[in-house]
Amino acid sequence: SIDRVVRERGWVRVDDLERLTGEVVAATLGDWVTTPEALAATVEAVVSRVAAAGDIGVDLAVFDERERAAIESSDDVVVETGLVLPADAVDPYVDHPFLAELLDGGFAPSAPDGVDRNDIRELARRGHIVQRDGVVFHTATIDAAARIAADLLAATPAGFTVAAFRDATGASRKFVLPLVSELDSRGITRRRDDVRIAGPRLPVE
């Protein structure tokens, strides 16, 4: 029976359960059918693991599909920029001094000289910074670059050149080329010959 199969396995995919029993059953969570006990045990294990990591969080990629489904059902953990965190976690990197330095640098940011590599990795993992072609930008700078691209394309829908983008940002090619490359990678712009045209994710006023 359905109940017996689910009790024995704890978690069963809807498609697998239909194949095993010949009956169509509504999913409990995501693509899975499970028991309240199995779900509670999985949630408890996930929450304990995340709590042990604290505000650093745990990479979502290390959890299996059942655990990810359990994460979605729990109010005790949240997923932010690919990290599973306690719901009441405070990001220990949000006030990192390098972020203020990058923000002040705008389109011509300082190199991360003297900044711990682990901090750089965590800042990037948490979505505070973007690394592109050897240059580190504050994420707010990428957002500002996207708005400039949108303004340029509003004025010249046929596309803008790297030189035009350089003039609009006031930055040198050292910084402009990585910025444009990042915009391309995000789908904000697309390269067509020697110009950038609108991508599917270009900001719209």
Side-chain angles (χ1 to χ4, degrees), residues 32 42-53 57-72 77-79 82-86 125:
W32 300 88
T42 304
V43 168
E44 182 179 359
V46 168
V47 170
S48 296
R49 185 173 182 180
V50 173
V58 180
D59 193 327
L60 180 63
V62 306
F63 293 102
D64 64 29
E65 293 183 51
R66 291 173 297 179
E67 290 169 328
R68 293 188 189 194
I71 287 168
E72 294 178 6
V77 294
V78 294
V79 179
L83 292 175
V84 187
L85 302 160
R125 194 163 72 113

Side-chain angles (χ1 to χ4, degrees), residues 1-204:
S1 68
I2 292 175
D3 289 343
R4 178 180 57 78
V5 172
V6 176
R7 282 198 307 272
E8 289 177 352
R9 300 194 176 201
W11 290 76
V12 189
R13 289 186 182 280
V14 171
D15 291 346
D16 292 339
L17 190 58
E18 182 179 353
R19 189 178 67 254
L20 290 168
T21 66
E23 298 183 49
V24 178
V25 180
T28 306
L29 198 62
D31 295 326
W32 300 88
V33 177
T34 185
T35 65
E37 296 77 15
L39 175 58
T42 304
V43 168
E44 182 179 359
V46 168
V47 170
S48 296
R49 185 173 182 180
V50 173
D55 293 344
I56 297 260
V58 180
D59 193 327
L60 180 63
V62 306
F63 293 102
D64 64 29
E65 293 183 51
R66 291 173 297 179
E67 290 169 328
R68 293 188 189 194
I71 287 168
E72 294 178 6
S73 75
S74 175
D75 294 328
D76 295 322
V77 294
V78 294
V79 179
E80 295 181 2
T81 60
L83 292 175
V84 187
L85 302 160
D88 59 354
V90 176
D91 187 344
Y93 290 88
V94 70
D95 293 321
H96 195 287
F98 184 51
L99 290 178
E101 186 178 337
L102 282 182
L103 199 56
D104 287 342
F107 297 118
S110 302
D113 298 332
V115 182
D116 187 273
R117 289 184 179 181
N118 289 330
D119 285 357
I120 292 294
R121 184 173 60 251
E122 281 299 322
L123 286 167
R125 194 163 72 113
R126 292 167 182 272
H128 298 308
I129 65 174
V130 173
Q131 297 174 285
R132 172 66 63 173
D133 300 335
V135 181
V136 181
F137 297 99
H138 195 290
T139 51
T141 299
I142 304 300
D143 293 339
R147 290 192 293 272
I148 286 178
D151 290 343
L152 288 171
L153 287 168
T156 55
F160 63 83
T161 62
V162 169
F165 190 76
R166 180 193 62 207
D167 292 343
T169 59
S172 69
R173 286 179 66 87
K174 171 186 176 181
F175 301 109
V176 167
L177 291 177
L179 278 171
V180 172
S181 179
E182 180 65 22
L183 296 183
D184 289 345
S185 72
R186 294 183 177 214
I188 293 168
T189 55
R190 289 187 298 175
R191 183 173 182 173
R192 175 181 290 172
D193 298 325
D194 294 329
V195 299
R196 258 65 184 189
I197 63 173
R201 295 185 178 178
L202 184 74
V204 178

